[in-house]
Amino acid sequence: MPLSPLPFRELVTAYLRRHPGGRAELAELLAALGHEADPGDTVDAGQIDLDRNESLTRPAQGVPLNASAIVHDDLGSNLSHPRDANKPRAWEPADGSIHPVATPETAVGGGAPSGTVLHVVGVHLHLERDGMVLLGRRHPDSVFAGDTWHALAGHCEAEAATGCLVREAYEEAGLVIDPADVELVHTVHTFGRPGDPPRIQLFFRARRWEGVPELREPEKCVAWEWWSAKDLPEPIVPYTRVAIEGIRAGRAYSELGWGR
């Protein structure tokens, strides 16, 4: 449904309250919205979108922007041009890439440009049995943490975190878990090497499960073993140790790698 000039002006104003640095980018559009323009007026301001990260994108300079053709995106607060259901959104280019965002090192350091840094969400299975926790030894050739002990884990795709956990538990170890039987017990906010995205590492305890851990993805994990939570093996992924120690101490949250 097309927006009238007033709601559209309010949305742009709300954006600028959060991102005052974007005023220059929207100068022409603001000028057009500053008077009672016909909502069908064409604004020669380039193709302006407010993407899922609330960042301005201008994929093509000089493309007319018709104020009456801008609608609410299905993400709620974002704006986008009407689109064909088979075409990618402004933040979903056809080649599968994403809009550039500020890198972690520029966002964390001084003089950071305005913008949003995407965080990767990882889920981890925290299985406990008689004071023991389940850990897997990663394959020596693994790009991440080769030959190192780690919790059963995976990255969220287009799914809820608990759904990701259930999927990864079955795919990696043949364990069957009901999402209703898991609870979030610790979160580690990590920042690693320069150039790597920050990560939100979620650790879920499963109160019940079915099956015995088996090696279903030997190219990723070469062994599943139960270890005392008080005497963890080495080498172990640092944030996994932080999480397990945090769970034992009753802490819900930890940070790692942020220079504190």
Side-chain angles (χ1 to χ4, degrees):
M1 180 178 180
L3 291 175
S4 65
L6 181 57
F8 179 54
R9 187 183 301 113
E10 291 176 347
L11 285 168
V12 173
T13 301
Y15 170 82
L16 289 174
R17 289 197 193 102
R18 297 190 299 271
H19 306 282
R23 184 170 296 276
E25 288 285 334
L26 292 175
E28 295 172 271
L29 181 57
L30 290 170
L33 293 174
H35 59 82
E36 295 298 323
D38 184 332
D41 286 350
T42 297
V43 182
D44 188 15
Q47 183 182 4
I48 301 176
D49 272 319
L50 187 60
D51 69 11
R52 63 160 65 179
N53 303 312
E54 299 185 27
S55 301
L56 288 174
T57 58
R58 299 178 64 139
Q61 295 293 335
V63 178
L65 175 67
N66 190 299
S68 67
I70 297 180
V71 298
H72 280 291
D73 185 81
D74 57 9
L75 292 177
S77 63
N78 296 338
L79 301 175
S80 68
H81 291 277
R83 65 182 184 89
D84 185 281
N86 298 317
K87 294 181 181 179
R89 293 180 174 86
W91 36 263
E92 294 175 340
D95 62 0
S97 62
I98 62 175
H99 288 305
V101 297
T103 60
E105 60 269 27
T106 58
V108 174
S114 61
T116 301
V117 177
L118 297 180
H119 286 50
V120 176
V121 177
V123 298
H124 305 73
L125 178 61
H126 183 74
L127 282 191
E128 300 174 354
R129 187 183 68 181
D130 300 325
M132 312 287 280
V133 295
L134 182 68
L135 296 174
R137 191 170 190 110
R138 295 182 60 79
H139 193 284
D141 296 333
S142 175
V143 175
F144 170 72
D147 207 28
T148 301
W149 293 96
H150 190 29
L152 188 156
H155 292 134
C156 280
E157 298 174 6
E159 58 195 337
T162 54
C164 177
L165 182 77
V166 168
R167 174 179 59 79
E168 293 287 356
Y170 183 75
E171 290 177 354
E172 293 189 18
L175 301 174
V176 177
I177 300 174
D178 187 329
D181 290 330
V182 303
E183 61 178 337
L184 180 65
V185 289
H186 200 79
T187 300
V188 186
H189 192 191
T190 65
F191 177 58
R193 298 170 300 180
D196 286 350
R199 297 170 186 268
I200 302 293
Q201 312 288 16
L202 305 176
F203 282 75
F204 290 91
R205 174 189 285 124
R207 294 182 289 268
R208 288 178 291 274
W209 68 90
E210 295 180 7
V212 177
E214 56 184 274
L215 297 175
R216 293 172 60 92
E217 295 181 336
E219 73 282 1
K220 295 181 180 179
C221 180
V222 298
W224 293 112
E225 293 187 22
W226 294 91
W227 292 88
S228 170
K230 298 179 181 179
D231 187 19
L232 298 173
E234 288 290 354
I236 186 172
V237 172
Y239 76 78
T240 298
R241 176 181 290 280
V242 168
I244 294 174
E245 292 177 349
I247 293 168
R248 290 187 61 225
R251 294 193 303 270
Y253 176 78
S254 299
E255 293 178 351
L256 186 64
W258 290 95
R260 293 186 183 183

